[in-house]
Amino acid sequence: MKFFIDTANLKDIREAQDLGILDGVTTNPSLMAKEGIAGVDNVLKHYKAICAIVDGDVSAEVIATDFEGMVREGEALAALDEKIVVKIPMIKEGVKACKYFSERGIKTNMTLVFSPGQALLAAKAGATYVSPFVGRLDDISSDGIELIAKIRLIYDNYGYETQILAASVRHPMHIMQCAEIGADVMTGPFSAMLALLKHPLTDSGLAQFLEDHAKANS
Ligand code: E4P
């Protein structure tokens, strides 16, 4: 399973990249705003900075909600770097824009997906990635992980090549549940990836090894 980091924070992206486990980055307008990135030129500059750090795909979201606007913004984003994936909201105009980009070989990520039907439409429009939001469904007492399983089944039924990018992943159990189902990618905070490391028996076992080594070598 590929690990994408869901942030526009350059320090976190660098740290995850340095750990050697990072396959890509996803951003959204809220994450860009959180880093204080505003204005078209600054936004484009920031995406270039992210692309310079990572080896894999970098999702950059359009702001426009009409077809022409999405095409204009998406083409400008895609021209920045071959790592750029144009991230498009799951609305009617977005489906049309997704089809437009996929026919031209530009990578796409259909975002704000909350139902299997929306994921089916994304695949039919030729999306490179579909982003079902696990955490936000859990937030409203719905089952985000069940959505990933349903999409996996539908895509496998027909051999759709669209990759399931489990988004809005919040904690290590989400990551493991997505891996068990067979999500192609997960995107979440660096803290959720680091939490996979933790086990008390690892810590106590290492402490014991070091203590025994120190005794034997004193
Ligand atoms: C998807 O790509 C979004 O950027 C993201 O995963 C949303 O996560 P959140 O629900 O934690 O904001």
Side-chain angles (χ1 to χ4, degrees), residues 203-213 215:
D203 297 339
S204 59
L206 180 61
Q208 186 70 59
F209 287 160
L210 295 179
E211 195 184 317
D212 291 345
H213 174 82
K215 268 188 215 149

Side-chain angles (χ1 to χ4, degrees), residues 135-149:
R136 290 193 193 187
L137 279 171
D138 289 358
D139 288 346
I140 58 154
S141 302
S142 222
D143 191 341
I145 291 296
E146 193 189 346
L147 174 61
I148 302 297

Side-chain angles (χ1 to χ4, degrees), residues 114-218:
F114 294 95
S115 76
Q118 291 178 323
L120 183 56
L121 279 177
K124 287 195 66 66
T128 313
Y129 298 102
V130 64
S131 285
F133 278 34
V134 176
R136 290 193 193 187
L137 279 171
D138 289 358
D139 288 346
I140 58 154
S141 302
S142 222
D143 191 341
I145 291 296
E146 193 189 346
L147 174 61
I148 302 297
K150 284 186 178 169
I151 299 172
R152 179 76 283 155
L153 176 69
I154 292 167
Y155 281 12
D156 289 350
N157 280 347
Y158 298 99
Y160 286 124
E161 285 177 11
T162 299
Q163 294 181 54
I164 302 173
L165 196 174
S168 187
V169 157
R170 304 270 174 77
H171 51 69
M173 285 315 292
H174 272 160
I175 300 178
M176 294 321 298
Q177 288 166 320
C178 287
E180 282 166 20
I181 291 165
D184 300 287
V185 192
M186 78 84 201
T187 190
F190 191 39
S191 57
M193 301 178 204
L194 289 179
L196 291 173
L197 267 174
K198 293 189 185 135
H199 199 288
L201 291 179
T202 304
D203 297 339
S204 59
L206 180 61
Q208 186 70 59
F209 287 160
L210 295 179
E211 195 184 317
D212 291 345
H213 174 82
K215 268 188 215 149
N217 289 276
S218 61

Side-chain angles (χ1 to χ4, degrees), residues 89-97:
M90 175 42 80
I91 55 176
K92 195 173 166 194
E93 297 285 286
V95 172
K96 201 169 151 191

